[in-house]
Amino acid sequence: MPLKQTHWLSILVQTPVHSKLSQALTYQSPVALAPGALVRVTLGTRELLGVVWQVLKEAPPEMLSRDGKAVEIKPISADLGLTPLSDTWRQFISFAAIYYQRSLGEVALSALPPQLRTLDATQMQRRLKKQVKSNTTIDPNTGEIKPVNNENEYLATSVKLTSQQLTVLADMDSHDGPFLLYGATGSGKTEVYLQAANKVLQSDKKAQVLMMVPEINLTPQLEERVRERFCPLFGDDAVVSMHSGMTNPQRLKSWLAAHDGRARIVLGTRMAIFASMPHLNLIVVDEEHDPSYKSQDGARYSARDLAVYRGKLDNAKVILGSATPSFESWHHSQSGAETQGRYKRLSMLDRVGSSALPEVVLVNMAHQPKKTVVSPPLLAAIAERIRRGEQSIIFLNRRGYAPVLHCADCGWKSECPHCSAYRVFHKIDRTLRCHHCGFTERVPRACPACGNTDINPIGRGTEQLEEHLADLLRDVKRPNGEAVRIARIDADSTKLKGALQQQLAQVHAGEVDVLVGTQMIAKGHDFRNITLVAAVNPDTALFSSDFRAPERLFALLMQAAGRAGRDAAQGGQSEMWIQTQHPQHPLYIALKKHDYAGFAKTQLKDREAAMMSPFGYSALVRAEARTQEVAQAFLNTARETILAQAKSDNGSQNDMLQLVSVYGAVPMSMQRIANVERAQMLIESSSRKALQQFLQQWQTVLHKTPAKGIIRWAVDVDPLVI
Ligand code: ADP
Ligand code: ZN
Ligand code: ZN
């Protein structure tokens, strides 16, 4: 009779963020399992999903009884029967957990599709059987994936590439990257991604490609383009999506297809960076400058930055693409000793075809009557487009611009009683709503402070702008003599599922003359007949306390301008209008010349002088409590502890602290949300390594700091907003 063998496994499970159990737990198994295997285990009374992290040679010593036999190590409940996650996937997760200061268990388990956590082994097997009936077959001998329909030859497109596209593609062949593809809006970047993907997929029958976009709901067009191009070649299963708009069963289905190699292209938002892709060969990060790549809760990771790391681990090429790269990526792609040209910059400065970039027109609002919302010259330009049967986009940044109710007599404003924010006036249902905590009330008949019945909105929201424009344009007729058609797209108008797609389809179909909206309409859409784009009041972002505000505003306006005049057939010159009180501001001067590089240069110089990103590194610790004092005291106590530790230890800790500055706790700029007070503490260093070393110890100190009254705390490494 063969000896029954025991295998000791160290297994990760989902554990609460600050629990003591944040590292792997030990279990035993009667059968050997490889690292990366997915299993079910019991923890207390619950049964959980676990990831085998390591196979131990023997039971951990503290778990051995005196006679050397193991005690009380529970057996796993079941093996889910999936192919184990790859070594590089596990290395990648480890890196992300350490770098972003989270527990391994949390990062590993939240990188897996939620439904995987709930299925037992039997359900899993049923699911896998269902998956197999697809239109691809896996060759049992070679493991090759064969599309059913493989008569199609290489190059599924009739597009004749432009010379700059060809140059860029050739450079991508002859260098390892990572690449920063710096290409004007409409220069054909997407086509480059598709060509690069095609090449990889054709040259290796197993190769997989990950394509990331900032907001997949706003870019169904990319998905369509990718499907159109690759499904005929590799089968309908070859392209899968991964984003938070999908149901849990859909997400699991995509994940499994990527994990077993059937999916050759994964198209997703930032979460897709954690997809299990055993044959990952190429990663594309489109609109790499977009802040949505940085997660704002849980592990606050940057999918863009992680893409570069994952590319290195998986030996996959990485393409970061943008018309307005983040200044970090721009800096890293500069040749020179300082950055060692970490990324290879490839430029495509011209638009495809003869369509020129729009002319930027600045309207000096200081010369307009005080309360002007849409200046007469802008209005005339919009009217002109309507008469010609062309379309216009008018947008405003919502931030700081939503309509707040105001009493001119006593100065009352519609503050939220639970947050440090004003409630916003919604005309449709005559309510005041807090956009932070959701607190909603009917609009009062009179000022709650002084009884004045004449209370009015200050600032203008999209709703009002739409109304105002309808009023101003009521006499303007379309070429066929009909009245102008105005539509609005913003978070409110698109709440219902599918509403955004439907509204965008109307714009595409030419059923809308003037589109009013928030910056959500400025991003990524490939509108054909738009010849005028206007930013009504972008100035608010010029004088922000956030050092990245100018970078963001510039990117937003460049992107918005990119919506205009994409159709070369249009002929006429398209225009980008900007209403500003500061037409001489360097940002607008640079914008007028479409001079991203010049603007980046001056901004980077300022940042270098101030040792800000990318010249310095930072992290924030945030704490939340019922009172501001409690939140700040927690942070300040932790700070004193680590400074005292460093002082008493004259060795390496002290050296490390020389390179790191820890500032005192301050209230966050959104200080209060839903009656919770928020405080933060900034940590800066000129050295990434020193900052990382510091954060490791800091984490231990934070865990030991008395946290009475603290609701939660978290570390944000490389924060986007300070
Ligand atoms: P970007 O991603 O840089 O904004 P796209 O790849 O979307 O640019 O290209 C802009 C438009 O030009 C798209 O409609 C695309 O189909 C078209 N296009 C791209 N490359 C070519 C080409 N080589 N020849 C003709 N049209 C092209
Ligand atoms: Zn009043
Ligand atoms: Zn509120």
Side-chain angles (χ1 to χ4, degrees), residues 407 410 412 447 450 452:
C407 168
C410 76
W412 172 85
C447 170
C450 75
N452 171 21

Side-chain angles (χ1 to χ4, degrees), residues 262-381:
R262 265 174 305 135
R264 307 289 304 281
I265 302 186
V266 173
L267 195 65
T269 49
R270 63 168 183 259
M271 66 164 69
I273 192 59
F274 293 113
S276 164
M277 299 177 71
H279 306 291
L280 182 60
N281 264 6
L282 172 68
I283 307 178
V284 173
V285 185
D286 190 24
E287 311 290 7
E288 67 88 36
H289 64 279
D290 198 294
S292 325
Y293 283 119
K294 172 95 168 145
S295 169
Q296 292 304 332
D297 52 33
R300 288 164 170 77
Y301 63 91
S302 157
R304 190 243 348 257
D305 295 349
L306 284 180
V308 174
Y309 191 83
R310 186 162 186 187
K312 225 187 301 174
L313 274 179
D314 277 303
N315 209 5
K317 286 204 176 181
V318 176
I319 307 174
L320 312 177
S322 177
T324 50
S326 64
F327 289 162
E328 281 82 3
S329 299
W330 186 251
H331 176 67
H332 293 322
S333 68
Q334 238 139 11
S335 44
E338 193 190 342
T339 64
Q340 288 124 26
R342 273 211 272 152
Y343 303 164
K344 171 128 189 90
R345 187 188 300 165
L346 305 172
S347 305
M348 300 204 299
L349 301 178
D350 302 322
R351 281 183 150 188
V352 174
S354 57
S355 63
L357 283 168
E359 185 185 339
V360 176
V361 184
L362 298 174
V363 181
N364 189 345
M365 295 303 274
H367 296 164
Q368 301 291 332
K370 250 221 166 80
K371 284 189 174 160
T372 307
V373 178
V374 182
S375 60
L378 174 57
L379 193 66

Side-chain angles (χ1 to χ4, degrees), residues 28-43:
Q28 55 164 308
S29 162
V31 293
L33 286 171
L38 290 157
V39 294
R40 304 287 300 175
V41 295
T42 51
L43 179 64

Side-chain angles (χ1 to χ4, degrees), residues 236-252:
D236 284 346
D237 274 18
V239 181
V240 300
S241 299
M242 270 185 206
H243 58 83
S244 56
M246 295 162 65
T247 63
N248 282 346
Q250 286 171 333
R251 267 172 73 178
L252 179 62

Side-chain angles (χ1 to χ4, degrees), residues 75-90:
I76 63 162
S77 314
D79 170 15
L80 280 185
L82 295 170
T83 316
L85 295 153
S86 71
D87 287 355
T88 53
W89 189 86
R90 286 181 301 114

Side-chain angles (χ1 to χ4, degrees), residues 69 114 119 161 174 187 206 245 365 434 471 624 675 677 705:
K69 279 202 192 115
L119 298 182
L161 297 176
S174 53
S187 62
K206 285 188 186 174
M365 295 303 274
C434 175
D471 191 35
E624 299 182 0
N675 290 327
E677 287 283 338
T705 303

Side-chain angles (χ1 to χ4, degrees), residues 7 138 344 438 612:
H7 301 269
I138 300 180
K344 171 128 189 90
M612 285 191 287

Side-chain angles (χ1 to χ4, degrees), residues 416-421 423 434-439 672-674:
C416 174
H418 312 297
C419 305
S420 41
R423 279 175 300 162
C434 175
H435 285 188
H436 295 280
C437 74
F439 181 66
R672 197 157 60 110
I673 291 184

